[in-house]
Amino acid sequence: MSSKEPEKDVTINVDGQVWIDQTGLVRVQNPNGVGRYPVVSPGQHVTVYVDGEEIREPVVVSEESKVRIVPEEVPALSEIEVILSSDELVAEVVTRFGPKTEYKAAPTEPAVQVVVEGEIDREVPPGDISEGEVVQALQRAGVTAETNLQEVLLALQEKRCGRFVVARGQAALNGEDEIFRLVEPKQREVGEQDLVNYREKSVYGVEIGRLVAIRAGDVRGKPGLTVRGKVISAKDGKGLAIKVGHGVAVKGRQYVATTSGRPRWDPVRRVLEVLPVFECKSVDLTTGNIHFPGDVSIKGDVQEGFIVEATGTITVDGSVYGGHLMAGSHIIVSKNVIGGTVEAGGIQASLKSVLLYLSPLVKRMQDCLQAIEQLKRNPAFRFKDLAQTGDGPLFALLMENKYRDVPGYVEKVIQVGTEVIPELVKELKEMLLGPSITKVNSLDEVAALVDEMARKEQDIQESVARTAEVTVGNVQNSQIVGSGSVTVNGSAINSEVRSGSNISVRGVFRGGTASGFSIICGELGSPGDVETEAVVGEKGTISAKVLHSGVILRLGTVISKTVKLELQVKCRTEDGRLVVERGRF
């Protein structure tokens, strides 16, 4: 007996497929066996309907499903918008353009899963926007400020998107609180290679007519204006109440000195003034050097290396230790000047000192020229020698013999006059000093120089009318110069004292040089023959209660050296010779 075998299942399992054909229709093929059914997902720029319902996520479809694709159509965009800032100070125009875009379903290959995407089928350019439309939009926004549409119109022509500022308002400016400040002189900037002088501090003064202080700050506020024409209020700043004291005048918002002195601002009383006197306890590192256009009063001492310069009077209640005082007027030092320099009268003091040596130098040179002329007129003089050598040797011969004192006067003029008559000093060095004398070719050169010296002497005599006096206690190793009289209430040791008038030393003048129009000393010179010199003009006198030997006396062109101790003497000149009077003076 035979039996029949059961039949085998020969079905092939195939997944279903879905695709978009070239016409944009959806094609579906069902699976075989236990294959998967195809899936459709919506993509961009299309709307997908399955069995009449829009799908928003993947959906299983079959040959029986009704799948419809609706491509997106984006309308053209041509618009403008006016935007104002929150404070309405800025108006902007925004341009927006976009073409009309028509999409179609993009074809796909058959697959189990398909995403339906749209692709551009056709684009239509956007429409135009006119300038009139922009103006109307601004009017609707209430913009009344002046507009600039140049960039906007260019963007409209190019159909370009953008944001453009077309109008600006005026912001309100609140007033500033008024400020007040003193005007100080500018300081020179210190470079890396400069040495810092710690003696120079910020003490300063002003001269008459100089700017002292200013008021700054625009107190009045300025209202603003929005682009819509609305006024924006502004606040005023706070003003200052300033009182004007001594030495200050108001010129608008500036304060000008009506006198020379030191500006001072009192913030409590709110008073600005210029004080004619600068006062300090002492001059040291605390104060620094003082340069002041007025009077200076120092209650203590002036320490070594410090400078006090004033256009007026300087008064020191203490002593000067190696300091330097320079005043346009008088100087008073109650105590001592040790190793210091005191100059009263400025250039006038130096010019008067120059006269003490320049005047006798002029006279001696005039005598020398006259002597040479007389010598030439002598029948015994041999002119043929001059024809071969010139006037130089004759001039040099007289300088070496009869006028041996001339180089000494020249050196003194150079010593005291280098700063005040530099051009004449240069000529004196070139012709009348040292070997230069032997190089003179013609007496005409010498005569021209003598004429110039005489003119300078006359100019100085006419310009030194102003006098500034110096009064000090004791002087040691110092230099004292005054265009007026110099009074030493104590003694002067190893010092140089120069005066444009009279010198009075109540004690001892020993060592150094005293030069003035007259000199009175308690004791002049020393028993040890310390080099001491007293110099006066031709009409001056030198008086001393005690006159030691070895003192050099210069009275105009007369030079003498004392040979013995004298008591109660007055020295003067008469007919070009020294006269010594004895008695109480």
Side-chain angles (χ1 to χ4, degrees):
M1 180 175 127
S2 64
S3 61
K4 188 177 180 180
E5 294 181 1
E7 296 182 0
K8 294 182 179 179
D9 188 357
V10 294
T11 303
I12 300 174
N13 298 320
V14 179
D15 291 338
Q17 291 183 330
V18 62
W19 68 93
I20 313 297
D21 65 16
Q22 295 296 326
T23 65
L25 296 178
V26 179
R27 303 296 184 179
V28 180
Q29 181 180 329
N30 289 335
N32 286 331
V34 292
R36 293 181 298 168
Y37 275 86
V39 176
V40 174
S41 300
Q44 294 183 343
H45 305 300
V46 294
T47 303
V48 180
Y49 295 89
V50 176
D51 296 329
E53 300 239 351
E54 180 183 356
I55 64 172
R56 298 183 180 278
E57 56 187 21
V59 173
V60 176
V61 295
S62 65
E63 295 176 353
E64 291 77 21
S65 300
K66 295 180 179 180
V67 182
R68 183 167 62 92
I69 300 174
V70 178
E72 182 181 359
E73 185 176 294
V74 178
L77 177 64
S78 296
E79 67 177 18
I80 57 173
E81 181 183 5
V82 176
I83 298 177
L84 304 183
S85 61
S86 59
D87 55 9
E88 296 187 359
L89 288 175
V90 179
E92 296 177 292
V93 171
V94 179
T95 60
R96 301 185 182 96
F97 289 97
K100 176 184 178 182
T101 306
E102 298 176 355
Y103 291 88
K104 66 178 181 178
T108 67
E109 296 294 328
V112 177
Q113 294 186 4
V114 169
V115 177
V116 183
E117 297 282 359
E119 65 179 10
I120 296 175
D121 185 28
R122 188 168 69 108
E123 285 187 341
V124 179
D128 296 329
I129 301 176
S130 66
E131 180 180 356
E133 291 177 273
V134 178
V135 173
Q136 290 177 0
L138 290 170
Q139 290 175 346
R140 287 193 299 271
V143 177
T144 59
E146 182 179 355
T147 57
N148 183 353
L149 303 179
Q150 183 176 354
E151 291 188 12
V152 175
L153 296 179
L154 182 60
L156 296 181
Q157 182 180 353
E158 298 174 351
K159 291 184 170 54
R160 173 165 47 88
C161 298
R163 185 166 181 158
F164 309 96
V165 175
V166 296
R168 293 185 183 274
Q170 177 64 53
L173 296 177
N174 292 330
E176 303 171 351
D177 289 343
E178 194 171 32
I179 61 173
F180 176 80
R181 65 179 179 87
L182 295 176
V183 178
E184 298 190 16
K186 292 183 177 180
Q187 302 292 329
R188 184 180 71 86
E189 293 185 2
V190 179
E192 293 182 359
Q193 304 301 321
D194 290 339
L195 296 177
V196 178
N197 185 356
Y198 291 100
R199 290 186 173 90
E200 290 294 345
K201 297 293 184 68
S202 58
V203 173
Y204 78 100
V206 294
E207 297 176 351
I208 184 171
R210 290 289 185 181
L211 184 64
V212 177
I214 61 172
R215 300 164 72 115
D218 194 351
V219 179
R220 294 288 300 273
K222 296 179 180 179
L225 197 67
T226 70
V227 294
R228 288 177 168 174
K230 180 181 177 182
V231 176
I232 306 172
S233 61
K235 297 180 180 179
D236 289 340
K238 296 180 180 179
L240 291 175
I242 310 273
K243 298 178 183 178
V244 173
H246 173 79
V248 178
V250 181
K251 304 294 182 183
R253 303 187 75 188
Q254 296 183 334
Y255 297 81
V256 179
T258 59
T259 185
S260 297
R262 183 186 185 189
R264 184 178 71 174
W265 163 246
D266 187 337
V268 177
R269 297 187 298 125
R270 309 192 78 77
V271 174
L272 175 67
E273 56 190 343
V274 174
L275 302 178
V277 179
F278 174 77
E279 297 182 350
C280 63
K281 292 182 179 180
S282 61
V283 179
D284 49 28
L285 283 174
T286 303
T287 60
N289 295 333
I290 296 174
H291 308 279
F292 189 69
D295 297 340
V296 175
S297 176
I298 301 166
K299 303 303 180 184
D301 301 326
V302 178
Q303 297 298 334
E304 183 175 359
F306 288 90
I307 297 172
V308 180
E309 185 176 10
T311 60
T313 299
I314 297 176
T315 303
V316 181
D317 292 346
S319 297
V320 177
Y321 298 104
H324 191 166
L325 310 186
M326 293 175 286
S329 187
H330 313 305
I331 295 179
I332 301 173
V333 180
S334 298
K335 296 182 180 178
N336 305 317
V337 180
I338 301 176
T341 301
V342 174
E343 299 177 82
I347 191 174
Q348 305 296 331
S350 297
L351 287 174
K352 285 191 174 183
S353 297
V354 168
L355 278 181
L356 292 175
Y357 302 103
L358 181 60
S359 295
L361 176 60
V362 170
K363 184 174 181 180
R364 292 294 286 164
M365 291 301 300
Q366 289 172 340
D367 289 345
C368 177
L369 291 176
Q370 186 176 0
I372 292 176
E373 291 299 326
Q374 291 175 350
L375 184 59
K376 285 183 176 182
R377 289 195 293 268
N378 190 327
F381 189 79
R382 294 182 298 176
F383 285 95
K384 63 178 181 179
D385 293 337
L386 296 182
Q388 295 177 357
T389 62
D391 296 328
L394 177 59
F395 177 68
L397 181 63
L398 288 176
M399 288 292 105
E400 292 174 2
N401 293 276
K402 186 175 181 180
Y403 298 97
R404 290 195 302 266
D405 58 338
V406 166
Y409 285 116
V410 172
E411 290 176 354
K412 288 293 185 178
V413 171
I414 292 172
Q415 178 183 345
V416 300
T418 298
E419 297 296 328
V420 291
I421 52 171
E423 294 181 0
L424 181 58
V425 163
K426 181 181 178 182
E427 293 185 46
L428 290 174
K429 289 181 179 178
E430 293 175 352
M431 188 175 296
L432 297 182
L433 197 61
S436 300
I437 294 177
T438 61
K439 297 179 182 179
V440 173
N441 295 319
S442 170
L443 288 181
D444 291 339
E445 299 176 7
V446 180
L449 177 59
V450 174
D451 288 342
E452 184 177 350
M453 287 191 294
R455 286 193 299 270
K456 181 61 69 174
E457 176 191 13
Q458 183 64 32
D459 292 342
I460 293 175
Q461 289 175 342
E462 293 175 356
S463 66
V464 293
R466 182 183 179 186
T467 60
E469 299 177 354
V470 177
T471 302
V472 297
N474 293 292
V475 180
Q476 183 175 341
N477 298 323
S478 300
Q479 183 182 66
I480 309 297
V481 181
S483 63
S485 63
V486 175
T487 301
V488 181
N489 290 320
S491 297
I493 308 297
N494 295 327
S495 298
E496 180 183 4
V497 179
R498 291 191 274 125
S499 169
S501 181
N502 305 319
I503 295 177
S504 174
V505 181
R506 293 185 180 180
V508 178
F509 188 93
R510 178 177 299 153
T513 301
S515 56
F517 283 89
S518 71
I519 299 174
I520 300 176
C521 294
E523 184 176 345
L524 182 58
S526 70
D529 289 336
V530 176
E531 185 174 333
T532 305
E533 184 178 34
V535 183
V536 297
E538 185 177 6
K539 297 180 180 180
T541 60
I542 300 173
S543 303
K545 293 180 180 178
V546 178
L547 177 61
H548 290 277
S549 63
V551 177
I552 299 174
L553 305 178
R554 291 178 179 266
L555 295 91
T557 59
V558 176
I559 303 175
S560 177
K561 187 173 184 179
T562 58
V563 295
K564 64 177 181 177
L565 177 69
E566 299 275 4
L567 300 179
Q568 301 289 348
V569 297
K570 175 188 285 188
C571 303
R572 60 182 179 83
T573 61
E574 184 176 306
D575 298 329
R577 60 184 180 83
L578 178 66
V579 176
V580 179
E581 299 177 353
R582 296 169 178 81
R584 291 187 177 274
F585 302 99

